[in-house]
Amino acid sequence: MTRPPVVRPSLDELRDRLASVFEGDLIELTDDSHLHAGHAGAQGGAGHYSVRIVSARFDGLGRLARHRLVYHPVESWMPDRVHALSITAVTPSEVSGSSPQASSAP
């Protein structure tokens, strides 16, 4: 029995999923799939994306907890539709430079 071809999500689909958790927050997305042509994860059709989210929901959270929040709304697409998600998750105060904590905090 053959599997149907995998269709990676469009940027709009991905944005909608992320906005379900980060409604009203800044979400910037890039489809980096073309940079991974020939990569094992790309051969099946799954996408590679970069996402930058600025949200007060990240206040007081370390990098791992922030990434879990971002992965949650797209976890059903991984690894079949989304192979890789490069995440930058920061708070509004980190963007303005008024906080010493960075998204790379543990």
Side-chain angles (χ1 to χ4, degrees):
M1 194 157 135
T2 60
R3 291 178 63 178
V6 173
V7 177
R8 67 177 174 260
S10 69
L11 291 177
D12 288 337
E13 288 177 296
L14 188 52
R15 185 179 318 281
D16 288 346
R17 285 276 181 115
L18 293 168
S20 71
V21 172
F22 298 100
E23 185 176 353
D25 293 324
L26 176 67
I27 301 171
E28 297 173 342
L29 291 167
T30 306
D31 185 343
D32 299 323
S33 300
H34 65 284
L35 300 173
H36 300 273
H39 178 272
Q43 290 176 359
H48 291 71
Y49 301 92
S50 294
V51 60
R52 179 177 179 261
I53 299 177
V54 180
S55 175
R57 292 193 63 176
F58 299 136
D59 280 332
L61 298 179
R63 182 174 57 177
L64 183 59
R66 292 175 184 204
H67 285 208
R68 284 180 177 151
L69 278 177
V70 175
Y71 278 123
H72 179 73
V74 297
E75 67 186 349
S76 66
W77 285 347
M78 298 184 84
D80 295 325
R81 294 187 71 193
V82 174
H83 177 74
L85 192 60
S86 174
I87 300 170
T88 301
V90 294
T91 66
S93 62
E94 290 167 348
V95 171
S96 67
S98 61
S99 172
Q101 181 180 358
S103 65
S104 61

